[in-house]
Each structure stands twice: as C-alpha cells, then as structure tokens.
Amino acid sequence: MADFTHGAVAHFDIAGGDADVLGAFYSGLFGWSVDPKGPGYALIETGANSPNGAIVETEAPALTMGVAVKSLAETIAKAEAAGGRVVMPATDNGWVKKAQIADPSGNVVTLIEL
C-alpha cells in the first residue's frame, strides 16, 4: 500500500456467481492477469500505473472500489458524520487493514489503511 496516497483508488473487487467465468471474461476482454487463490477468489493484475483487484464469487453481482486512507478510525468517523454507515468494521486480515462503509445511497466502499 505504500505506493498509494490518502484518497487514491487502490483496489477493486468484482463479485458475481462464477469466479472462473468472470476471470475468463476480464482476462479475454482487457488482457488482465487472473491468478486464482482458492475457491471463489482470484487476484487481478491490470497493468502498470493502475490499481489491481480481485474476483470474488458471491450470489449477487457487485463492483466495489477500495480507497487508500491514512486512518480507518478517522475515515469511518467522517463517513458516519456525513451520513454513511459501517458495513464491515475495521479488520486486520494479516495482509491489509480494511473496513467497508456505505455512502448515503447504499454504495459500498472498501477503506484500506496505508
């Protein structure tokens, strides 16, 4: 995460019913490298100077962007004060510290601590 600054789009997740089909679609369409990491999950490399992402197998389709932030706690507090809500509290998965918020319309954004 050191290459990103506060507020930069740093990651994205593409979710849908079949991770293998989604991987083949985006690989064929854009030439993205798709690296399966387990059932229903693959990392995506999009190329130089652009954020990478993941394909996540879920029941409902979704596209979620991940934004780099200096502080999860401060950003969550600002989001709540502005009418957003926490979808996933701050979590350290051993690889990154992240949380998810929903904006006032319900769009979900992943926050990734620098």
Side-chain angles (χ1 to χ4, degrees), residues 74-91:
E74 288 177 18
T75 306
I76 289 169
K78 286 174 81 173
E80 290 179 314
R85 64 181 171 81
V86 175
V87 175
M88 181 183 79
T91 303

Side-chain angles (χ1 to χ4, degrees), residues 42-93:
L43 292 176
I44 300 169
E45 288 188 26
T46 62
N49 300 319
S50 113
N52 293 320
I55 292 176
V56 182
E57 196 166 298
T58 62
E59 289 184 26
L63 181 59
T64 307
M65 71 174 162
V67 178
V69 299
K70 291 178 185 174
S71 167
L72 289 176
E74 288 177 18
T75 306
I76 289 169
K78 286 174 81 173
E80 290 179 314
R85 64 181 171 81
V86 175
V87 175
M88 181 183 79
T91 303
D92 184 345
N93 68 7

Side-chain angles (χ1 to χ4, degrees), residues 76 80 84-90 99-103 106-110:
I76 289 169
E80 290 179 314
R85 64 181 171 81
V86 175
V87 175
M88 181 183 79
Q100 287 187 319
I101 56 156
D103 68 18
N107 297 298
V108 175
V109 176
T110 299

